[in-house]
Amino acid sequence: MINNITFGQYIPGNSFFHKCDPRSKLIGVFWYVVLIFLCKSFFSLALVSAFTLISVIFSGVNLKTVLKSLKPVLIILIFTAIVNLFYTSGGEIIFAIRGFKITEKGVNTAVFTVLRIINLVVVSSLLTYTTTPTMLTDGIERLLHPLTYLHINVGSLAMMMTLALRFIPTLIEEIQRIINAQKSRGADFENGGIVSRAKALVPIFVPLIISSFRRAYELAFAMTARCYTGGNERTRMKQMKIKVRDIFVFVYCVVLTSGIIVLNRLFEAVL
Amino acid sequence: MNHFVELKDISYSYTQGSKNRVFAVKDVNFNLNKGEIVGIIGHTGSGKSTLISVFNGLLKPASGSVFVDGQDIFQDKKTLYNVKFKVGICFQYPEYQLFEETVFKDIAFGPKNMKLTSDEVKQRVISAARYCDISEEMLNKSPFELSGGEKRRVAVAGVMAMNPDILILDEPAAGLDPAGRTKLIGLIRDYNRTTGSAVIIVSHNMEEVCSLCERVVVVNKSKIVLDSALDDVFSHSEMLSSIGLDVPDVTKLFLKLKAAGVDLPTDVYTPEQAAEILKPLINRR
C-alpha cells in the first residue's frame, strides 16, 4: 500500500547526473522550474519537454520508473485539467451542454497546465532519483551557507533534514507493524462511516507518536554520546568540488533559457 | 479434517508478481490441535514471522490454503475477520502497540472489537489480567507508566483477552531480564494448562523452547525442515548447528562430558532434568 511510492526515492546508478555535484543539480532544477513557468507558447513548452526527456535519458533512470512518479499527482492532473477545461472562457466554442461550454482557449489552457505539471514533477523527481538524501542535504547546507551571517544555524537545519529523510522508511515499517498488531486484535480499518474510520486510526497513531518520541530520545542520546554538538564548524569527509560536468549543467540551462526567450518572442502566448 | 488448524502447501513471497520471486515461505504443511504447545525455531530471516502471519490471514499466501476450525479462512471477508479472534497473535515487542489511557481499556480493545457486552468485556479483561499477573491497581494505571516487563504482560493479556483457541507469541521474552523472562514463560504455560488453548512460541532461545514445548518445528530457508517431539529435534544437534541453531546450554554441557568419556545421557534439555540426573552421581561420592 505505502511501498509503491517512487517519488522522492533515490535510485542508485552511475549516470551523468548521479556524478554531478548536488549544488549544481539543485540550482539547475530550481532554474528549470522557473523556466517551466516562463514558457508562454506551446513551442517553448515543447522545447522544455524535449530537454526534460533528454535529461531523463542522461539520468539513466528507467522511463517506467519516471512515469511511476507521476502516479501520486494523477488526481491533481485530472482535477486541474477539468477545472481549466470548464472555467476558462474566451476563444471559439467547441462544445456546449447545459450551460457548460468548452472553449478553444479552455482546451489549450488545460493541456498547457497539465504539461507544465508533468515537467515539474519529472524534473524534480530526477533530482531525488539521482541524488542520495545525504548528498542533497549537504548540497542544501552549502547553498544556504550565506545565511550563517544572519546567525541562522544552517548546519543544524541540514542535520534535521537528513534525519527527517532518514526516518521515512523506518516510520513506514513501524506503521505497517502497528497495523498488523492492531488488526490481529480485531481492529477494523475498512468498514464503517467516516467517524468510525477516523476513530480506528487512534490505535495506530498513538503508538506511532509515542515510538517516534522514543526514537528521537534514543537518537539524541546516541548523537550526544558520539560528541555531536551541532554548529557550523563540522567538516566533511567528502568535499564537494565543481567539475566540468557541473559547468555543462549550467550551459544546458543557459541554452534552454535562450531557446525559450526566442520562442516566446516568435510565437503567440497561450495563456 | 480433524486438526484444528491446517496449513496446506503454503507459499508466500514478498516480491509477488516479479520475475525472480524469493519465497519467504515455501510449500509448508502444518497441523495443530487444541491444547498443544509448539515451539517454532529458526534462524533470523528463515520465514518464522511470515509463517505466523499466515495463521490469522494477515498475509494471504500466493498458493495453498489455511483451514481453521474446518473453515477456509480466505473464503469470505467475514471468516477472514473472525479468524483473528480464534488465532490470537502477539508480535515481537508488543508493548509498542499499547495506546489506551488505562491498562484496563487497552486489554479490552480486543474483546470490544468482538462486539461483546460490557459485562463480558469486563470479565474477559479480569481473567486475562489474572493469567498475566496484572494487579487490580495496575489496571487503572496508564500503560505508559509501567515497566518494560509489565508493559509486555499487558500486551500479552490484550491478546489473551480475546480467548483465542490458538495463542501465537513471537519472541515473547525478547529483551526482558531473566526474572521477567522466567515469569512470562511460567504464565504462558499456566495459560495453556488452564484454558486448553494451543500455544505457539516463536523463538530462537533454546532454553525457552525446551522449558515450554512438547513439539518443536524447525524452519530453515523458508521451509519446515523438522517437525517432531522435543527430544527428537534436539537429538539432531549437528543438523541444528549446520543451520545456525543450537541445542540448549545444558545439553551442550552433557554432550561435551560424554565426549570427554563420562557416561551420561545426552537427552537432557533443562537444568531441572540435569539436576535430577546429577544428584545420584554427587550423592555417590
Side-chain angles (χ1 to χ4, degrees):
Chain A
M1 160 176 79
I2 356 184
N3 303 325
N4 276 326
I5 303 168
T6 62
F7 182 76
Q9 228 176 35
Y10 172 69
I11 296 166
N14 209 13
S15 74
F16 176 82
F17 281 130
H18 279 91
K19 287 184 211 150
C20 272
D21 190 289
R23 283 172 294 175
S24 55
K25 276 188 279 189
L26 274 164
I27 295 173
V29 167
F30 187 71
W31 191 338
Y32 208 101
V33 169
V34 173
L35 287 180
I36 291 171
F37 281 101
L38 283 181
C39 289
K40 282 187 179 140
S41 70
F42 273 114
F43 292 93
S44 45
L45 198 61
L47 185 73
V48 169
S49 306
F51 268 66
T52 309
L53 202 66
I54 295 169
S55 314
V56 171
I57 294 164
F58 264 115
S59 73
V61 178
N62 197 329
L63 197 64
K64 225 168 144 187
T65 324
V66 176
L67 290 179
K68 243 188 181 172
S69 69
L70 288 171
K71 233 181 176 176
V73 288
L74 198 65
I75 297 165
I76 301 173
L77 284 179
I78 293 168
F79 184 72
T80 41
I82 289 171
V83 168
N84 279 305
L85 206 56
F86 288 108
Y87 291 97
T88 321
S89 50
E92 221 174 295
I93 293 167
I94 302 173
F95 188 76
I97 14 163
R98 286 190 203 165
F100 278 113
K101 281 175 284 183
I102 295 178
T103 61
E104 196 190 336
K105 203 173 172 196
V107 175
N108 281 346
T109 328
V111 175
F112 203 81
T113 325
V114 167
L115 277 177
R116 252 185 188 168
I117 299 175
I118 291 176
N119 270 301
L120 266 175
V121 173
V122 170
V123 169
S124 42
S125 41
L126 272 190
L127 174 70
T128 53
Y129 283 157
T130 59
T131 324
T132 60
T134 345
M135 291 284 271
L136 204 60
T137 40
D138 272 359
I140 293 171
E141 188 186 344
R142 291 295 296 273
L143 284 176
L144 293 180
H145 192 72
L147 288 180
T148 41
Y149 299 110
L150 297 173
H151 298 287
I152 293 169
N153 199 332
V154 180
S156 302
L157 277 179
M159 179 58 85
M160 276 191 255
M161 266 173 53
T162 319
L163 292 179
L165 288 170
R166 157 67 184 79
F167 276 99
I168 291 171
T170 315
L171 286 185
I172 290 178
E173 209 174 281
E174 183 91 12
I175 291 174
Q176 198 59 58
R177 261 183 34 186
I178 297 170
I179 288 178
N180 277 346
Q182 306 299 26
K183 259 191 177 173
S184 299
R185 294 211 278 164
D188 189 0
F189 305 115
E190 275 131 41
N191 299 311
I194 297 174
V195 179
S196 61
R197 276 196 202 199
K199 268 190 185 162
L201 293 179
V202 174
I204 297 176
F205 283 114
V206 173
L208 184 69
I209 291 166
I210 289 165
S211 74
S212 303
F213 271 109
R214 184 176 48 86
R215 271 181 214 286
Y217 275 119
E218 280 170 7
L219 186 71
F221 287 139
M223 284 166 79
T224 323
R226 286 182 240 174
C227 304
Y228 177 81
T229 50
N232 292 323
E233 291 78 33
R234 290 169 64 80
T235 50
R236 231 159 286 284
M237 191 165 85
K238 286 178 189 158
Q239 289 290 337
M240 285 184 270
K241 277 192 190 111
I242 295 292
K243 292 190 181 122
V244 184
R245 63 170 77 87
D246 296 300
I247 295 164
F248 178 81
V249 172
F250 290 97
V251 174
Y252 192 76
C253 288
V254 168
V255 170
L256 184 60
T257 314
S258 36
I260 286 168
I261 292 171
V262 170
L263 288 172
N264 274 348
R265 282 277 169 91
L266 285 179
F267 297 96
E268 195 186 340
V270 175
L271 298 178
Chain B
M1 206 155 297
N2 28 25
H3 299 290
F4 191 74
V5 176
E6 272 186 56
L7 304 192
K8 276 188 184 164
D9 304 315
I10 296 292
S11 293
Y12 183 85
S13 156
Y14 281 103
T15 47
Q16 220 102 298
S18 83
K19 276 176 203 159
N20 36 3
R21 285 164 113 186
V22 181
F23 284 96
V25 169
K26 194 157 170 50
D27 303 326
V28 164
N29 286 291
F30 180 77
N31 298 319
L32 184 74
N33 291 319
K34 273 194 186 177
E36 273 192 281
I37 181 154
V38 180
I40 298 183
I41 58 174
H43 205 247
T44 319
S46 58
K48 298 172 293 187
S49 295
T50 312
L51 183 63
I52 60 164
S53 303
V54 172
F55 275 83
N56 74 347
L58 275 182
L59 296 178
K60 190 178 191 307
S63 62
S65 40
V66 184
F67 291 93
V68 173
D69 207 1
Q71 275 182 311
D72 184 342
I73 63 165
F74 294 105
Q75 67 186 10
D76 55 49
K77 264 194 171 173
K78 205 166 168 241
T79 323
L80 187 57
Y81 182 68
N82 287 330
V83 75
K84 311 235 165 26
F85 304 127
K86 287 182 185 162
V87 182
I89 302 186
C90 190
F91 287 99
Q92 263 178 62
Y93 299 103
E95 56 271 32
Y96 298 137
Q97 75 198 27
L98 302 175
F99 69 98
E100 279 284 13
E101 296 152 50
T102 65
V103 170
F104 183 94
K105 279 189 184 173
D106 208 285
I107 300 176
F109 182 65
K112 261 191 194 157
N113 286 328
M114 295 169 84
K115 310 264 181 322
L116 299 174
T117 63
S118 60
D119 281 346
E120 282 175 303
V121 170
K122 201 175 169 192
Q123 256 188 338
R124 291 283 182 96
V125 174
I126 288 169
S127 67
R130 200 174 307 132
Y131 286 131
C132 291
D133 195 21
I134 295 164
S135 67
E136 214 154 303
E137 180 196 359
M138 242 163 91
L139 282 176
N140 296 318
K141 276 192 187 171
S142 156
F144 306 108
E145 292 169 17
L146 307 179
S147 75
E150 287 170 335
K151 275 189 200 168
R152 179 75 54 95
R153 295 208 306 274
V154 170
V156 174
V159 180
M160 282 182 181
M162 302 190 298
N163 273 3
D165 297 305
I166 300 167
L167 177 68
I168 302 178
L169 299 141
D170 193 350
E171 297 277 0
L176 292 185
D177 55 59
R181 190 178 274 261
T182 321
K183 181 167 191 176
L184 189 63
I185 295 297
L187 293 170
I188 293 167
R189 189 192 291 119
D190 292 345
Y191 176 80
N192 166 260
R193 285 191 187 149
T194 39
T195 61
S197 306
V199 173
I200 298 179
I201 302 280
V202 178
S203 179
H204 48 232
N205 184 317
M206 297 307 140
E207 272 74 25
E208 223 167 87
V209 172
C210 286
S211 63
L212 260 181
C213 308
E214 297 139 12
R215 178 179 155 201
V216 177
V217 173
V218 184
V219 182
N220 185 40
K221 288 183 182 160
S222 334
K223 288 189 177 178
I224 289 182
V225 287
L226 208 59
D227 179 353
S228 190
L230 184 73
D231 300 359
D232 185 46
V233 167
F234 285 115
S235 63
H236 294 77
S237 62
E238 269 171 34
M239 191 268 257
L240 287 179
S241 62
S242 78
I243 59 175
L245 292 172
D246 222 343
V247 292
D249 288 337
V250 185
T251 318
K252 253 191 265 176
L253 177 70
F254 274 71
L255 283 169
K256 270 190 186 158
L257 285 172
K258 176 115 184 178
V262 188
D263 184 29
L264 282 171
T266 52
D267 54 346
V268 183
Y269 307 113
T270 59
E272 290 79 25
Q273 266 182 303
E276 209 59 40
I277 290 164
L278 293 178
K279 215 185 266 168
L281 294 179
I282 294 166
N283 287 346
R284 210 167 52 196
R285 287 198 163 185

PDB file of all heavy atoms in Angstrom, chain B residues 164-178:
ATOM      1  N   PRO B 164      -8.477 -16.648  22.479  1.00  0.00           N
ATOM      2  CA  PRO B 164      -8.234 -17.345  21.214  1.00  0.00           C
ATOM      3  C   PRO B 164      -8.037 -18.842  21.452  1.00  0.00           C
ATOM      4  O   PRO B 164      -7.583 -19.237  22.533  1.00  0.00           O
ATOM      5  CB  PRO B 164      -6.946 -16.703  20.698  1.00  0.00           C
ATOM      6  CG  PRO B 164      -6.242 -16.214  21.920  1.00  0.00           C
ATOM      7  CD  PRO B 164      -7.308 -15.837  22.891  1.00  0.00           C
ATOM      8  N   ASP B 165      -8.416 -19.628  20.458  1.00  0.00           N
ATOM      9  CA  ASP B 165      -8.185 -21.069  20.572  1.00  0.00           C
ATOM     10  C   ASP B 165      -6.707 -21.375  20.392  1.00  0.00           C
ATOM     11  O   ASP B 165      -6.215 -22.394  20.845  1.00  0.00           O
ATOM     12  CB  ASP B 165      -8.994 -21.807  19.515  1.00  0.00           C
ATOM     13  CG  ASP B 165     -10.482 -21.602  19.732  1.00  0.00           C
ATOM     14  OD1 ASP B 165     -10.938 -21.898  20.846  1.00  0.00           O
ATOM     15  OD2 ASP B 165     -11.157 -21.113  18.808  1.00  0.00           O
ATOM     16  N   ILE B 166      -6.054 -20.463  19.675  1.00  0.00           N
ATOM     17  CA  ILE B 166      -4.615 -20.602  19.500  1.00  0.00           C
ATOM     18  C   ILE B 166      -3.968 -19.275  19.852  1.00  0.00           C
ATOM     19  O   ILE B 166      -4.399 -18.231  19.376  1.00  0.00           O
ATOM     20  CB  ILE B 166      -4.256 -20.931  18.046  1.00  0.00           C
ATOM     21  CG1 ILE B 166      -4.905 -22.242  17.648  1.00  0.00           C
ATOM     22  CG2 ILE B 166      -2.760 -21.026  17.861  1.00  0.00           C
ATOM     23  CD1 ILE B 166      -4.849 -22.455  16.188  1.00  0.00           C
ATOM     24  N   LEU B 167      -2.957 -19.340  20.670  1.00  0.00           N
ATOM     25  CA  LEU B 167      -2.240 -18.127  21.031  1.00  0.00           C
ATOM     26  C   LEU B 167      -0.840 -18.234  20.433  1.00  0.00           C
ATOM     27  O   LEU B 167      -0.112 -19.185  20.714  1.00  0.00           O
ATOM     28  CB  LEU B 167      -2.157 -18.010  22.556  1.00  0.00           C
ATOM     29  CG  LEU B 167      -1.375 -16.828  23.103  1.00  0.00           C
ATOM     30  CD1 LEU B 167      -2.102 -15.530  22.806  1.00  0.00           C
ATOM     31  CD2 LEU B 167      -1.165 -16.972  24.596  1.00  0.00           C
ATOM     32  N   ILE B 168      -0.515 -17.276  19.574  1.00  0.00           N
ATOM     33  CA  ILE B 168       0.802 -17.302  18.949  1.00  0.00           C
ATOM     34  C   ILE B 168       1.625 -16.145  19.502  1.00  0.00           C
ATOM     35  O   ILE B 168       1.176 -15.002  19.503  1.00  0.00           O
ATOM     36  CB  ILE B 168       0.698 -17.183  17.418  1.00  0.00           C
ATOM     37  CG1 ILE B 168      -0.160 -18.316  16.866  1.00  0.00           C
ATOM     38  CG2 ILE B 168       2.082 -17.216  16.784  1.00  0.00           C
ATOM     39  CD1 ILE B 168      -0.369 -18.265  15.375  1.00  0.00           C
ATOM     40  N   LEU B 169       2.807 -16.453  19.982  1.00  0.00           N
ATOM     41  CA  LEU B 169       3.659 -15.413  20.563  1.00  0.00           C
ATOM     42  C   LEU B 169       4.993 -15.390  19.832  1.00  0.00           C
ATOM     43  O   LEU B 169       5.690 -16.400  19.783  1.00  0.00           O
ATOM     44  CB  LEU B 169       3.886 -15.701  22.050  1.00  0.00           C
ATOM     45  CG  LEU B 169       2.611 -15.728  22.895  1.00  0.00           C
ATOM     46  CD1 LEU B 169       2.693 -16.818  23.928  1.00  0.00           C
ATOM     47  CD2 LEU B 169       2.381 -14.399  23.547  1.00  0.00           C
ATOM     48  N   ASP B 170       5.307 -14.237  19.240  1.00  0.00           N
ATOM     49  CA  ASP B 170       6.559 -14.107  18.503  1.00  0.00           C
ATOM     50  C   ASP B 170       7.611 -13.535  19.453  1.00  0.00           C
ATOM     51  O   ASP B 170       7.498 -12.389  19.872  1.00  0.00           O
ATOM     52  CB  ASP B 170       6.344 -13.190  17.293  1.00  0.00           C
ATOM     53  CG  ASP B 170       7.493 -13.247  16.312  1.00  0.00           C
ATOM     54  OD1 ASP B 170       8.528 -13.850  16.649  1.00  0.00           O
ATOM     55  OD2 ASP B 170       7.356 -12.687  15.208  1.00  0.00           O
ATOM     56  N   GLU B 171       8.591 -14.315  19.778  1.00  0.00           N
ATOM     57  CA  GLU B 171       9.662 -13.909  20.696  1.00  0.00           C
ATOM     58  C   GLU B 171       9.103 -13.221  21.946  1.00  0.00           C
ATOM     59  O   GLU B 171       9.415 -12.053  22.207  1.00  0.00           O
ATOM     60  CB  GLU B 171      10.618 -12.935  19.982  1.00  0.00           C
ATOM     61  CG  GLU B 171      11.338 -13.520  18.814  1.00  0.00           C
ATOM     62  CD  GLU B 171      12.576 -14.300  19.198  1.00  0.00           C
ATOM     63  OE1 GLU B 171      12.875 -14.382  20.411  1.00  0.00           O
ATOM     64  OE2 GLU B 171      13.231 -14.844  18.310  1.00  0.00           O
ATOM     65  N   PRO B 172       8.279 -13.929  22.726  1.00  0.00           N
ATOM     66  CA  PRO B 172       7.604 -13.245  23.825  1.00  0.00           C
ATOM     67  C   PRO B 172       8.546 -12.686  24.884  1.00  0.00           C
ATOM     68  O   PRO B 172       8.225 -11.696  25.525  1.00  0.00           O
ATOM     69  CB  PRO B 172       6.710 -14.332  24.417  1.00  0.00           C
ATOM     70  CG  PRO B 172       7.335 -15.613  24.006  1.00  0.00           C
ATOM     71  CD  PRO B 172       7.951 -15.353  22.673  1.00  0.00           C
ATOM     72  N   ALA B 173       9.704 -13.310  25.040  1.00  0.00           N
ATOM     73  CA  ALA B 173      10.564 -12.884  26.149  1.00  0.00           C
ATOM     74  C   ALA B 173      11.757 -12.061  25.688  1.00  0.00           C
ATOM     75  O   ALA B 173      12.604 -11.705  26.492  1.00  0.00           O
ATOM     76  CB  ALA B 173      11.043 -14.110  26.918  1.00  0.00           C
ATOM     77  N   ALA B 174      11.795 -11.712  24.398  1.00  0.00           N
ATOM     78  CA  ALA B 174      12.946 -10.965  23.880  1.00  0.00           C
ATOM     79  C   ALA B 174      13.081  -9.633  24.605  1.00  0.00           C
ATOM     80  O   ALA B 174      12.105  -8.917  24.804  1.00  0.00           O
ATOM     81  CB  ALA B 174      12.786 -10.711  22.385  1.00  0.00           C
ATOM     82  N   GLY B 175      14.285  -9.326  25.030  1.00  0.00           N
ATOM     83  CA  GLY B 175      14.543  -8.036  25.657  1.00  0.00           C
ATOM     84  C   GLY B 175      14.117  -7.935  27.106  1.00  0.00           C
ATOM     85  O   GLY B 175      14.189  -6.868  27.692  1.00  0.00           O
ATOM     86  N   LEU B 176      13.634  -9.036  27.684  1.00  0.00           N
ATOM     87  CA  LEU B 176      13.259  -8.989  29.107  1.00  0.00           C
ATOM     88  C   LEU B 176      14.436  -9.459  29.957  1.00  0.00           C
ATOM     89  O   LEU B 176      15.276 -10.213  29.502  1.00  0.00           O
ATOM     90  CB  LEU B 176      12.054  -9.890  29.375  1.00  0.00           C
ATOM     91  CG  LEU B 176      10.709  -9.487  28.785  1.00  0.00           C
ATOM     92  CD1 LEU B 176       9.639 -10.447  29.266  1.00  0.00           C
ATOM     93  CD2 LEU B 176      10.360  -8.065  29.174  1.00  0.00           C
ATOM     94  N   ASP B 177      14.446  -9.029  31.211  1.00  0.00           N
ATOM     95  CA  ASP B 177      15.500  -9.524  32.101  1.00  0.00           C
ATOM     96  C   ASP B 177      15.168 -10.964  32.504  1.00  0.00           C
ATOM     97  O   ASP B 177      14.038 -11.407  32.343  1.00  0.00           O
ATOM     98  CB  ASP B 177      15.638  -8.605  33.317  1.00  0.00           C
ATOM     99  CG  ASP B 177      14.322  -8.433  34.037  1.00  0.00           C
ATOM    100  OD1 ASP B 177      13.748  -9.457  34.483  1.00  0.00           O
ATOM    101  OD2 ASP B 177      13.836  -7.298  34.132  1.00  0.00           O
ATOM    102  N   PRO B 178      16.162 -11.710  33.012  1.00  0.00           N
ATOM    103  CA  PRO B 178      15.931 -13.132  33.295  1.00  0.00           C
ATOM    104  C   PRO B 178      14.699 -13.386  34.164  1.00  0.00           C
ATOM    105  O   PRO B 178      13.942 -14.324  33.901  1.00  0.00           O
ATOM    106  CB  PRO B 178      17.206 -13.550  34.020  1.00  0.00           C
ATOM    107  CG  PRO B 178      18.232 -12.603  33.547  1.00  0.00           C
ATOM    108  CD  PRO B 178      17.530 -11.319  33.273  1.00  0.00           C
TER     109      PRO B 178
END
